[in-house]
């Protein structure tokens, strides 16, 4: 099956500007960018439009169907998975052709996607994130022993040996990576945001097991002390990182760690949290990290940290996914923000054949109206102004 996209400008995921098309695709991969027109089974005329790599969301929660973590973990997994299918289909329609789910997913959902039972982005899952007792992920209030025991998105595991078993089992089942909670969080009720979580020995047990299998560990962490605690013990990607300081950014750069900012989540919770019933303690914690998130991206860039892109949108907030691009463009400008959501995220997940429009790469593409470098608003204008191509096939 061949496809030619003609009369198009192209952002290839790495260059400073646009290059000329056309883009030629054969059997799901890009075979040429530029040059003369070629015959193809299907030709798309993209005059006045721009071809981008398919977007990659490195922090997308398919199973994150509710802002209330206790309610989420109390639902039957069958219901959670069906809701996840809807969330993933919506992400694909927005132009996200790959997502990494760093707290959820399982082999069954991944198989259904691989067998094309449901329409979805390429799906890289970690299984339930690992949390210590009383950490971010322990859904119990301080005065409650009710247990949301589903472990759909988070599992409480304490101690070196139990953590080794948990990591081994996730990797046995096909997890892409392992997620740990290394500091407090916004939606959990009993953990201060800044305090590091898990001991050094516990984190090293997780990172050593993952590395032995050729995988890596992502850590939820906000404060400098929590980020340093994670990175010093082998964590490869820091999720959120809103309270990052310059010294810790330098340590991340020296370790080769990535930062995955999730600016969309805090902006959306600030605007919509009250109407969605977020507890005041969560809204107060959100305000603590909201403004700092942009500064963290700037500090990371200045230190030479590779900055990816994620959204972390739970429950009804999932419709804010494209606005994550708007927020990152406001900090980084359109070229750097687009690189983060394409080539940088592809490198983060170890897939150099994604996130680029180049010969030999997978033909996951997004075609948008206009020039997103001159007018970035076309990136978040909604699914009506875009064409999505997945492995060389037009899907929307």
């Amino acid at each position: 099956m061949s496809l030619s996209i003609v009369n198009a400008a192209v952002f290839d995921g790495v260059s400073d500007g646009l290059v000329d098309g056309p883009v030629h695709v054969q059997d799901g991969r890009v075979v040429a960018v530029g040059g003369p027109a070629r015959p193809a089974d299907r030709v798309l005329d993209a005059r006045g439009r721009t071809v981008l790599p398919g977007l990659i969301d490195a922090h997308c929660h398919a199973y994150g169907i509710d802002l209330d973590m206790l309610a989420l973990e109390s639902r039957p997994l069958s219901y959670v998975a069906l809701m996840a299918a809807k969330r993933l289909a919506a992400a694909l329609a927005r132009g996200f052709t790959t997502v990494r789910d760093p707290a959820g997913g399982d082999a069954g959902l991944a198989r259904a996607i691989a067998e094309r039972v449901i329409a979805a982005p390429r799906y890289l899952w970690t299984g339930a994130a690992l949390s210590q007792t009383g950490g971010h992920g322990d859904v119990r209030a301080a005065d409650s022993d009710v247990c949301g025991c589903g472990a759909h998105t988070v599992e409480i595991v304490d101690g070196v040996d139990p953590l080794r078993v948990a990591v081994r089992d996730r990797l046995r089942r096909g997890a892409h990576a392992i997620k740990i909670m290394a500091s407090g969080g916004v939606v959990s009720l009993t953990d201060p945001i800044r305090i590091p979580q898990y001991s050094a020995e516990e984190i090293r047990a997780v990172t050593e097991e993952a590395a032995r299998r050729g995988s890596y560990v992502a850590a939820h962490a906000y404060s400098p002390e929590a980020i340093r605690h994670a990175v010093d013990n082998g964590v490869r990607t820091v999720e959120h990182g809103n309270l990052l300081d310059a010294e810790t950014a330098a340590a991340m750069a020296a370790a080769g760690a990535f930062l995955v900012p999730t600016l969309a989540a805090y902006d959306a919770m600030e605007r919509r949290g009250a109407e969605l019933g977020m507890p005041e303690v969560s809204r107060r914690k959100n305000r603590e990290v909201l403004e700092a998130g942009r500064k963290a991206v700037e500090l990371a860039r200045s230190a030479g940290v590779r900055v990816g892109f994620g959204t972390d949108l739970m429950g009804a907030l999932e419709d804010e996914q494209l606005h994550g691009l708007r927020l990152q463009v406001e900090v980084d400008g359109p070229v750097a923000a687009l690189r983060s959501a394409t080539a940088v995220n592809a490198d983060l997940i170890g897939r150099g054949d994604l996130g680029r429009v180049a010969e030999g790469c997978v033909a996951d593409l997004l075609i948008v109206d206009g020039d997103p470098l001159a007018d970035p608003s076309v990136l978040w204008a909604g699914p009506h102004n875009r064409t999505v191509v997945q492995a060389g096939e037009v899907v929307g």
Side-chain angles (χ1 to χ4, degrees), residues 344-360:
V344 175
N345 269 354
D347 292 344
L348 183 157
I349 63 174
R351 287 291 304 267
D353 60 342
L354 297 176
R356 295 166 172 84
V357 186
E359 183 177 347

Side-chain angles (χ1 to χ4, degrees), residues 4-57:
S4 283
I5 306 171
V6 300
N7 299 319
V10 179
F11 175 74
D12 61 14
V14 294
S15 298
D16 290 333
L18 304 183
V19 299
D20 292 331
V23 177
H24 301 292
V25 175
Q26 181 71 48
D27 298 328
R29 289 191 176 264
V30 176
V31 294
V33 179
R38 301 185 184 187
D41 297 317
R42 181 168 183 180
V43 176
L44 290 180
D45 188 342
R47 189 177 302 278
R49 309 181 79 197
T50 302
V51 178
L52 315 170
L55 302 172
I56 301 173
D57 188 341

